Amino acid sequence: MTTDGASADGIRVIIADDQALIRAGYATILGSQPDIDVVGEAENGRDAVELAGRVHPDVVVMDVRMPVLDGIAATRMLAGPGVEHAPRVLVVTTFHLDQYVYDALRAGASGFLLKDTSPAQLVDGVRTIAAGESLLAPTVTQALLGRFAERVLPPGARAEADPLLAQLTPRELEVFTAMAHGDSNAEIAEALVISRETVKTYVSRILLKLELRDRVQAVAYAYRSGLIVPER
């Protein structure tokens, strides 16, 4: 089942969730915002992919566990490697499973929230990823990323042994480390006594050198490379 509409203005959003009550709740919350237009709903991943092809959303709010096609597979089809003009995908799930975070990020998701998040956080999450940023703030997501990284960190892995990290200048490495700890551009600028515009330039250059799309991928890469070691 899908429903779709159209709007010329605002952030165009599709909601994909197999529970009608959840879809209705998200639609009410998001649709009440002046800058957000809910242009469609889908009850499974396959319908979400088909709907996105028709209405071209800016953001897809995606559940993970859905019939027919799950949210991870749908995210990969919508925003995975090689996909052109991909919408931003915000995965919202009930389950605190590390594997979901890992799979969602690899599939191309730009954000990851849990369903116990507040309405304000959901709205902020949609706006954040629609603006091209990534959703790094939720504490639970950071914890999941840390546990995931701890599991997959190769023994003895060190940042200096990574050929991509070796391309970064000392200053870029400082900025990248701060990014990996979840610091905002403003916080990095204050800590390094440089302007926010300079930080933005560093961030863009770092993502280009590391072949990463956004800050979510940057955090995952920092842990995976051994640059950041999870706290125990």
Side-chain angles (χ1 to χ4, degrees):
M1 185 279 289
T2 64
T3 63
D4 58 279
S7 175
D9 301 313
I11 303 168
R12 297 166 57 81
V13 176
I14 284 178
I15 298 167
D17 197 297
D18 61 335
Q19 298 183 58
L21 190 59
I22 296 291
R23 294 198 306 274
Y26 288 174
T28 298
I29 293 168
L30 297 174
S32 67
Q33 304 302 311
D35 59 334
I36 297 176
D37 296 303
V38 178
V39 295
E41 300 177 18
E43 64 181 13
N44 60 62
R46 185 187 64 188
D47 287 353
V49 172
E50 292 176 354
L51 180 59
R54 295 199 303 272
V55 302
H56 307 294
D58 301 304
V59 174
V60 178
V61 177
M62 185 77 77
D63 188 18
V64 173
R65 290 187 176 180
M66 292 187 288
V68 184
L69 185 69
D70 66 46
I72 300 298
T75 296
R76 188 175 299 110
M77 294 175 68
L78 288 169
V83 176
E84 296 183 353
H85 309 298
R88 311 282 286 183
V89 177
L90 175 60
V91 170
V92 184
T93 179
T94 304
F95 303 99
H96 295 234
L97 297 179
D98 297 10
Q99 191 65 40
Y100 281 178
V101 178
Y102 169 69
D103 289 344
L105 296 181
R106 288 199 65 186
S110 298
F112 191 100
L113 288 176
L114 297 173
K115 285 187 175 177
D116 60 1
T117 192
S118 69
Q121 288 174 319
L122 176 65
V123 171
D124 183 62
V126 168
R127 288 173 176 152
T128 297
I129 69 169
E133 299 291 335
S134 303
L135 204 56
L136 301 175
T139 303
V140 65
T141 303
Q142 295 285 9
L144 289 171
L145 280 170
R147 289 200 294 274
F148 155 71
E150 189 174 21
R151 271 208 317 272
V152 302
L153 186 67
R158 298 184 58 80
E160 58 264 34
D162 186 289
L164 290 179
L165 285 180
Q167 300 179 56
L168 301 183
T169 66
R171 191 57 135 179
E172 289 169 346
L173 196 58
E174 282 186 282
V175 174
F176 182 50
T177 301
M179 291 167 57
H181 283 294
D183 292 352
S184 67
N185 286 353
E187 291 169 332
I188 296 172
E190 182 178 359
L192 300 183
V193 195
I194 56 179
S195 71
R196 295 187 188 185
E197 290 304 316
T198 301
V199 174
K200 288 182 180 179
T201 300
Y202 275 121
V203 170
S204 297
R205 192 181 303 158
I206 290 165
L207 295 178
L208 181 64
K209 284 187 175 181
L210 299 182
E211 302 174 2
L212 302 173
R213 190 185 61 196
D214 52 38
R215 296 172 85 117
V216 169
Q217 290 191 347
V219 171
Y221 187 82
Y223 280 103
R224 192 169 64 246
S225 67
L227 178 66
I228 301 297
V229 178
E231 295 181 1
R232 296 179 180 277

